[in-house]
Amino acid sequence: MASEVHEFNWPDRVVIGTIGEPGSRTFYLQARAGSDMTSIALEKQQAAVVAEMIDEILDQVATVAGNSFSVPTHTPAELVDNDPLEEVDEAFRVGSMNLGWDATVAQVVLEAFSLDESHPEDEPGAIMQVRMPVGTARAFAMRTHEVVAAGRPVCSSCGYPIDPEGHACQDPELS
């Protein structure tokens, strides 16, 4: 059993945001229900994959014959959240994540497990579980795509990020 469980069944807010400048940003998943709030650090790639997978889950559920879940194809305007992260107190750094669909309550379920080497592999040190209704999940994915894309521009030749100080192209054909 995990030593810490941060559970958000109907969060008031769930977002991915960053602290720092492009090139040295730290990504956080932050959930809040009432006064209970948890922030966990994750990698940019983890954030990008979570957003893609949430969109895929919602798109698949929307195409199920007889679907009674009213899955929005776009983010409902009233659920757009462009506010910055609230005060960040990092609970843990993410090692792995799971995504699922709970049809009994029409929610996307996101589980994040801590990167904690002091616990056996089958016993994570901490878990954050967030259950998002479909509209909230769609808004979460949209914001996450935007946050990930807001980093450093990518070189059209080599695909590597361009730093503010300049860029030495990594394309071997151009060397």
Side-chain angles (χ1 to χ4, degrees), residues 57 61 64 67-69 100-109 131 134:
I57 288 170
V61 169
V64 171
N67 172 22
S68 62
F69 301 117
W101 171 252
D102 184 344
T104 62
V105 289
Q107 290 182 321
V108 172
V109 181
R131 302 173 73 80
V134 292

Side-chain angles (χ1 to χ4, degrees), residues 12-166:
D12 297 324
R13 183 175 197 224
V14 56
V15 294
I16 286 189
T18 62
I19 295 177
E21 295 299 316
S24 60
R25 299 185 296 171
T26 301
F27 284 72
Y28 290 96
L29 167 59
Q30 188 173 76
R32 179 177 45 78
S35 62
D36 184 22
M37 185 168 64
T38 301
S39 302
I40 58 175
L42 69 162
E43 297 297 323
K44 177 180 181 177
Q45 293 80 8
Q46 289 172 311
V49 169
V50 163
E52 288 172 28
M53 295 305 297
I54 286 174
D55 279 337
E56 283 184 30
I57 288 170
L58 294 175
D59 292 347
Q60 287 176 2
V61 169
T63 62
V64 171
N67 172 22
S68 62
F69 301 117
S70 299
V71 176
T73 56
H74 294 54
T75 300
E78 66 275 10
L79 296 178
V80 171
D81 182 346
N82 292 321
D83 292 337
L85 292 170
E86 297 176 45
E87 184 176 333
V88 173
D89 181 15
E90 183 179 314
F92 63 86
R93 178 162 285 283
V94 174
S96 63
M97 300 174 87
N98 289 332
L99 274 174
W101 171 252
D102 184 344
T104 62
V105 289
Q107 290 182 321
V108 172
V109 181
L110 183 153
E111 295 175 323
F113 302 92
S114 67
L115 179 64
D116 187 348
E117 315 223 338
S118 66
H119 285 76
E121 213 173 280
D122 61 341
E123 186 180 307
I127 298 173
M128 181 177 187
Q129 183 184 70
V130 182
R131 302 173 73 80
M132 295 178 260
V134 292
T136 300
R138 193 64 87 182
F140 174 87
M142 182 188 81
R143 175 189 168 120
T144 301
H145 287 302
E146 291 171 355
V147 168
V148 168
R152 296 174 287 174
V154 175
C155 175
S156 61
S157 296
C158 69
Y160 283 89
I162 299 172
D163 291 322
E165 301 83 36

